[in-house]
Amino acid sequence: MIKDYFKVAIKNIFNRKLRSWLTMIGIFIGIAAVVALISLGSGMQKAITSQFGKIGANRISISPGGAIAGPLSENLGSGILYSSDVEAVRNVKGVEFATGPIAAYVELEFNKEIEYVALMAFDDDTKTLRYMEEMGLAEVEYGRQIKTGATREVILGNRIANDLFDKPIQVGNSIYVDNYKFNVVGIQKKSDSSMFDTVIRISKKTAEDLFERENPSNIFAKVDDNYEPTEVLGKLEKALRKEHNVDEGEEDFTIEIAADVIESFTRILTTVQILVISIAAISIVVGAVGITNTMYTAVLERTGEIGIMKAIGARNSDILTIFLIESGMLGLVGGLIGIFIGVGIGKAVEVIAKAAMNSNILQAHFPWYLILGSLLFSFLLGAIAGTMPAKQASKMNPIDALRYE
Amino acid sequence: MFFDFFLIACRNISRRRLRSWLTMVGIFIGIAAVFTLVSLGNGFEKALIDEFEKMGTDKLFVQPGKGFFSTPGSLKNVLSDYDLELIKKVKGVETAAGMNYKIARIEFKDISKYSWVIGISTDPEEKKLLFEMQNFKVAKGRELESSDKYKILIGAQIAKGLTFDKEVDLRNTIKIDGIDFKVVGILESMGNPQDDQTMYIPLKTEKEIFGEGENLDYIMAKTSFNADQDRVAADIMKTLRREKGVREGDENFNVQTSAQLIESFNTVLNIVTVALISIAAISIVVGAVGITNTMYTAVLERTGEIGIMKAIGAKNSDILTIFLIESGILGMMGGLIGVLIGVGIGKLVEVIVKTALLIDYITPEITVGLILGSLAFAFVIGAVSGTMPARQASKMHPVNALRSK
């Protein structure tokens, strides 16, 4: 029975080929736009979480002052973290590891060219190195890591080595950091974000000696797996309050669980995504109105047919179902074409973005639920758009309908 | 004759009332979306340009770093008091003033939080320039005087209690990093939370309490009447290069003219609006396809009528014109409703942004040009989407057309 309904619906769609096509165009344009945007948005979110995913929920970051201006702006905040704070953090129960790198903007000179870049100085022991590797901060593509105890050794971010200066810098070259000569021992692997590609690394000891800096810009800590990160966070706050001799509510430092920072970042991204997708979804609404219109016309044209069907025993619900299937099919086929086009657009944007921006951040991601969801959505949309005309058809008086033609 | 065509078109539209309505719904949704976005985008751009014009177009901005939009205050010890004096002596510079930025812990009646504190010069001439450029107006109390030390000027929203949950008034005491400051003045609202929740203290005091020494974060200069902006900017660069002993291209500072600032803001803004409008415009395309569809149906239904018109002497061009006018009117009526809805949405967004986000900049810019342009655009869209069906109608063979019914 339901199979017959489908046959009737498909035959009718084919009968009015041009009109059906135009109606489906209306749907597939909208679906294509939304599918492309969702795929790019979720691809971007995936890239970000995979990049920061390495950081994990057990990482804690401590920054001086209010930390309202983001990283590498340590000059801005009025609070200061001290070397002794790192010790205090290490002594808190539940802290497996802590390190306090120094960050700064420095002048970089190579081949008589001068540029200004960010510098990160971590401890050079193997424990810190392992920690950085876990965070995806320290993968070296060429050369090697800084040797323990070595001075004047520098590792360059990928883009600093390859793009910043007229001539690419190679392992073994000499560069000047704030007028001190350094030997390039390694070049980092290209990461997913430009942030890690545009920093240089030296050992913390060297930074302390040459630049007379000793206070860490941030403290990064890792919580032991057997402890609850939020609990440790509370203990850390207490320890640092004591260390800085301040009361509760007057802290001159900020402690955050890394996962929370990522979450607030993805929240902003989601908001932007929702805004853009809602604007694109307007065209789906317009397409749905097109389906309603086409179906009203179809009902009008087939008034006589409806009369005959009713005369030979079709119930109201049969007529309703036939028309609903028909409009649903219009939506579904439109959606199917839309998904194909959307996948194409998403991939095209990915390729263009990769070539133009030299970054992997825009990746189209098509999970199965996006495809299936869009198909289901477009079928439902078609059916809903066809509800009013189908109801009109089903409620026709057979005698009037037969007399109409 | 032409008038008759209009009558025929209008009669035909109103005869198929439901279908015409649905077709127009398709168009007006799209037009409303695009109209809203264009008017808000233009309004935002106008607000920005107004802001710059209030600041005056004879201003130059000297800041550390190489490009635009670096967080102010994050690069210290690039510009100094000495540089300010040098800039004042550059030919074409009438006067110049410096500012410092810091994020500090602020405390008011036991509520403490981190906020921007800006150090501004209290020298009468420099202060006048800063007030002019930042568009500061004192609403209550007085400005900072050169004899002031621990005195503070606060933004409008701080006074209203948005920062500390408590209202702040003249002669109240605010603690910055534990040091007492007395409120001497409250500024008029500048229309955005960032500026209205900032605190201003004498530059000298700022340098003293934060240990800033000779450092300046930002230098603004006013050029004398008729001076060539770009020339003066180049001269300032030259002077600073000579003083710091760096070659062209190696600078760690930059000078922007007002025109350059407006342009760089506009470029970013335009990219965002164009992206959003293109996405919204997809729905207009879908609506246009709806018109094509409706017109094909109309041609089909009126085949007999077309045959009769041709039989009694209508030329091909007459039939074409009648159908084009009909589809054009569908487009324009849709456009008219779309504009009305667009105006409504734009105003609604303005009210919501103003009350919820306290931002004055989002005001839709609704001009006669935009309204007439949208209407003309909608008419053209209608006529263009009706072209194919209208041609089909005009080329019908009268005998076949008559025979079809």
Side-chain angles (χ1 to χ4, degrees):
Chain A
M1 190 65 174
I2 194 95
K3 203 175 141 201
D4 291 330
Y5 291 164
F6 266 99
K7 269 192 194 153
V8 174
I10 289 170
K11 208 190 305 145
N12 274 312
I13 290 176
F14 269 100
N15 274 345
R16 301 162 286 127
K17 205 174 273 177
L18 175 70
R19 205 186 296 162
S20 306
W21 263 113
L22 287 173
T23 311
M24 285 189 299
I25 287 179
I27 285 294
F28 77 59
I29 292 178
I31 295 282
V34 171
V35 166
L37 287 171
I38 290 182
S39 73
L40 289 171
S42 71
M44 201 193 269
Q45 244 170 21
K46 224 183 124 198
I48 288 167
T49 40
S50 80
Q51 184 172 46
F52 289 104
K54 296 166 191 158
I55 294 173
N58 59 349
R59 310 293 158 131
I60 284 177
S61 144
I62 303 163
S63 30
I68 60 174
L72 272 174
S73 47
E74 85 280 4
N75 286 327
L76 262 176
S78 62
I80 296 172
L81 290 174
Y82 302 94
S83 310
S84 54
D85 292 342
V86 184
E87 270 322 300
V89 169
R90 281 185 185 135
N91 289 336
V92 169
K93 211 172 157 198
V95 172
E96 189 187 307
F97 172 79
T99 184
I102 294 172
Y105 276 99
V106 291
E107 183 188 282
L108 202 60
E109 190 184 330
F110 176 65
N111 206 16
K112 292 189 175 137
E113 250 183 283
I114 293 177
E115 293 290 342
Y116 298 88
V117 301
L119 171 138
M120 299 277 275
F122 280 91
D123 289 318
D124 55 5
D125 58 311
T126 45
K127 230 173 157 188
T128 310
L129 189 65
R130 195 173 335 120
Y131 175 80
M132 285 165 64
E133 274 168 349
E134 278 169 20
M135 300 220 313
L137 276 171
E139 282 176 275
V140 164
E141 189 177 23
Y142 302 107
R144 56 166 172 83
Q145 298 289 354
I146 294 166
K147 278 202 182 118
T148 309
T151 55
R152 309 290 180 105
E153 288 191 345
V154 65
I155 290 179
L156 306 179
N158 198 287
R159 287 182 64 178
I160 290 185
N162 293 317
D163 302 337
L164 195 62
F165 292 93
D166 289 343
K167 221 173 94 184
I169 307 175
Q170 274 154 358
V171 173
N173 286 156
S174 294
I175 57 167
Y176 290 89
V177 180
D178 274 2
N179 294 323
Y180 293 106
K181 193 172 173 182
F182 274 80
N183 186 20
V184 178
V185 297
I187 289 166
Q188 280 194 169
K189 211 168 137 189
K190 197 163 169 39
S191 73
D192 289 340
S193 88
S194 61
M195 200 168 96
F196 301 142
D197 289 339
T198 53
V199 296
I200 65 169
R201 280 199 283 130
I202 64 174
S203 81
K204 194 178 167 190
K205 185 85 185 33
T206 312
E208 284 169 353
D209 292 348
L210 294 187
F211 308 125
E212 288 158 11
R213 292 273 304 263
E214 55 169 333
N215 293 329
S217 310
N218 287 83
I219 298 174
F220 297 119
K222 186 180 171 188
V223 177
D224 192 308
D225 285 344
N226 299 324
Y227 289 82
E228 185 58 43
T230 43
E231 239 172 75
V232 177
L233 186 132
K235 280 187 206 155
L236 278 172
E237 263 176 359
K238 216 167 145 191
L240 283 179
R241 268 202 302 271
K242 206 172 145 201
E243 192 74 20
H244 284 216
N245 204 8
V246 290
D247 293 334
E248 199 168 344
E250 289 188 354
E251 293 90 348
D252 55 354
F253 54 86
T254 307
I255 308 185
E256 289 159 307
I257 294 178
D260 293 346
V261 182
I262 302 164
E263 202 190 295
S264 64
F265 187 69
T266 43
R267 206 177 297 133
I268 295 172
L269 194 68
T270 309
T271 314
V272 173
Q273 226 179 317
I274 289 174
L275 175 77
V276 172
I277 289 169
S278 345
I279 294 176
I282 296 174
S283 55
I284 297 186
V285 175
V286 176
V289 174
I291 292 188
T292 309
N293 206 355
T294 299
M295 291 313 292
Y296 266 122
T297 312
V299 171
L300 200 70
E301 280 177 351
R302 273 149 53 196
T303 308
E305 204 177 293
I306 296 167
I308 294 172
M309 287 198 283
K310 286 206 161 178
I312 60 172
R315 280 165 303 168
N316 282 5
S317 64
D318 295 332
I319 307 286
L320 188 79
T321 315
I322 289 176
F323 278 94
L324 280 186
I325 290 177
E326 193 173 326
S327 63
M329 290 292 290
L330 280 177
L332 186 73
V333 179
L336 192 67
I337 303 173
I339 289 170
F340 274 107
I341 298 179
V343 170
I345 296 176
K347 281 285 166 198
V349 170
E350 179 184 319
V351 171
I352 293 170
K354 205 177 254 172
M357 303 196 302
N358 203 8
S359 147
N360 286 336
I361 195 85
L362 266 182
Q363 273 179 355
H365 174 59
F366 306 99
W368 61 270
Y369 52 81
L370 174 61
I371 310 277
L372 272 191
S374 316
L375 278 181
L376 190 68
F377 174 75
S378 44
F379 179 79
L380 279 181
L381 189 78
I384 290 168
T387 304
M388 280 194 322
K391 270 199 164 150
Q392 193 189 48
S394 72
K395 279 184 187 151
M396 275 181 186
N397 183 345
I399 301 179
D400 291 338
L402 276 171
R403 204 191 284 145
Y404 176 80
E405 194 76 4
Chain B
M1 188 64 177
F2 200 69
F3 183 67
D4 290 333
F5 289 168
F6 258 103
L7 280 186
I8 294 173
C10 290
R11 205 180 316 133
N12 274 315
I13 290 175
S14 56
R15 215 170 54 186
R16 301 163 286 124
R17 194 166 289 167
L18 176 69
R19 204 186 299 163
S20 305
W21 261 113
L22 287 173
T23 312
M24 287 191 296
V25 167
I27 281 293
F28 78 59
I29 293 179
I31 295 281
V34 172
F35 186 89
T36 310
L37 288 173
V38 172
S39 69
L40 287 174
N42 286 349
F44 192 54
E45 188 177 331
K46 195 171 164 262
L48 271 182
I49 290 174
D50 276 359
E51 203 62 21
F52 278 112
E53 266 165 11
K54 266 186 233 157
M55 202 184 257
T57 49
D58 55 350
K59 305 295 189 304
L60 298 174
F61 309 86
V62 189
Q63 54 184 325
K66 278 206 153 173
F68 316 121
F69 308 136
S70 60
T71 312
S74 51
L75 271 173
K76 298 275 181 199
N77 297 321
V78 174
L79 299 171
S80 67
D81 292 335
Y82 182 61
D83 294 331
L84 176 64
E85 292 312 312
L86 284 180
I87 289 171
K88 278 183 181 170
K89 283 184 205 136
V90 171
K91 202 180 152 206
V93 172
E94 195 180 291
T95 166
M99 274 167 105
N100 273 3
Y101 296 76
K102 201 83 189 178
I103 293 170
R105 192 167 54 79
I106 318 293
E107 207 182 323
F108 177 68
K109 294 198 174 154
D110 292 336
I111 296 170
S112 116
K113 56 168 39 180
Y114 283 89
S115 175
W116 285 95
V117 173
I118 298 184
I120 55 174
S121 174
T122 48
D123 169 80
E125 201 188 338
E126 291 184 5
K127 188 176 67 182
K128 198 176 146 233
L129 175 66
L130 289 175
F131 268 64
E132 189 184 325
M133 295 183 75
Q134 300 284 342
N135 198 27
F136 289 156
K137 286 189 194 80
V138 173
K140 213 170 151 191
R142 61 168 175 85
E143 295 177 6
L144 293 172
E145 305 299 342
S146 46
S147 56
D148 288 339
K149 206 155 183 239
Y150 298 108
K151 300 285 160 61
I152 186 167
L153 205 55
I154 59 173
Q157 289 183 13
I158 300 175
K160 275 191 204 141
L162 278 111
T163 310
F164 299 107
D165 305 323
K166 277 179 196 156
E167 287 182 23
V168 183
D169 208 346
L170 294 179
R171 284 177 295 280
N172 282 161
T173 301
I174 290 178
K175 273 193 175 122
I176 298 178
D177 273 8
I179 299 166
D180 283 352
F181 280 78
K182 208 166 124 192
V183 178
V184 293
I186 296 165
L187 292 171
E188 271 182 21
S189 169
M190 282 169 271
N192 70 76
Q194 167 102 53
D195 283 342
D196 288 340
Q197 297 203 27
T198 298
M199 284 155 241
Y200 305 86
I201 59 175
L203 185 62
K204 260 189 221 142
T205 315
E206 198 265 0
K207 287 182 165 192
E208 189 188 300
I209 62 172
F210 298 128
E212 297 264 278
E214 295 278 290
N215 170 67
L216 284 180
D217 289 330
Y218 204 58
I219 297 175
M220 298 185 233
K222 182 182 181 175
T223 52
S224 48
F225 187 67
N226 268 344
D228 177 355
Q229 295 274 304
D230 296 325
R231 243 239 25 237
V232 179
D235 285 348
I236 291 178
M237 283 300 274
K238 214 160 117 193
T239 309
L240 291 179
R241 269 201 301 272
R242 197 182 310 136
E243 193 254 322
K244 293 172 191 305
V246 292
R247 283 174 311 172
E248 200 165 345
D250 291 344
E251 306 93 342
N252 191 20
F253 46 84
N254 67 84
V255 183
Q256 303 280 312
T257 64
S258 315
Q260 282 169 330
L261 267 184
I262 294 177
E263 209 188 294
S264 55
F265 268 117
N266 261 346
T267 315
V268 175
L269 187 63
N270 282 342
I271 291 172
V272 174
T273 15
V274 166
L276 287 183
I277 289 170
S278 332
I279 294 175
I282 296 173
S283 55
I284 296 187
V285 175
V286 177
V289 174
I291 293 188
T292 309
N293 208 353
T294 301
M295 292 312 293
Y296 266 123
T297 310
V299 171
L300 200 68
E301 281 176 349
R302 270 146 57 192
T303 307
E305 203 178 295
I306 296 168
I308 294 171
M309 286 198 284
K310 285 205 162 181
I312 59 173
K315 282 171 294 176
N316 281 3
S317 64
D318 294 336
I319 307 287
L320 188 79
T321 316
I322 289 176
F323 277 94
L324 279 188
I325 290 177
E326 195 172 322
S327 63
I329 289 180
L330 278 178
M332 199 165 76
M333 291 281 287
L336 190 68
I337 303 173
V339 168
L340 289 180
I341 296 179
V343 171
I345 298 177
K347 287 280 169 202
L348 194 70
V349 170
E350 179 187 351
V351 172
I352 291 174
V353 170
K354 212 171 255 176
T355 49
L357 302 176
L358 303 167
I359 295 173
D360 283 347
Y361 292 152
I362 312 284
T363 305
E365 171 80 354
I366 298 157
T367 57
V368 178
L370 181 61
I371 292 177
L372 287 185
S374 308
L375 288 183
F377 176 70
F379 180 80
V380 171
I381 286 277
V384 168
S385 25
T387 305
M388 281 194 319
R391 282 181 98 163
Q392 193 188 50
S394 73
K395 279 184 186 156
M396 272 179 187
H397 196 275
V399 180
N400 291 342
L402 275 172
R403 204 192 284 147
S404 83
K405 266 273 144 151

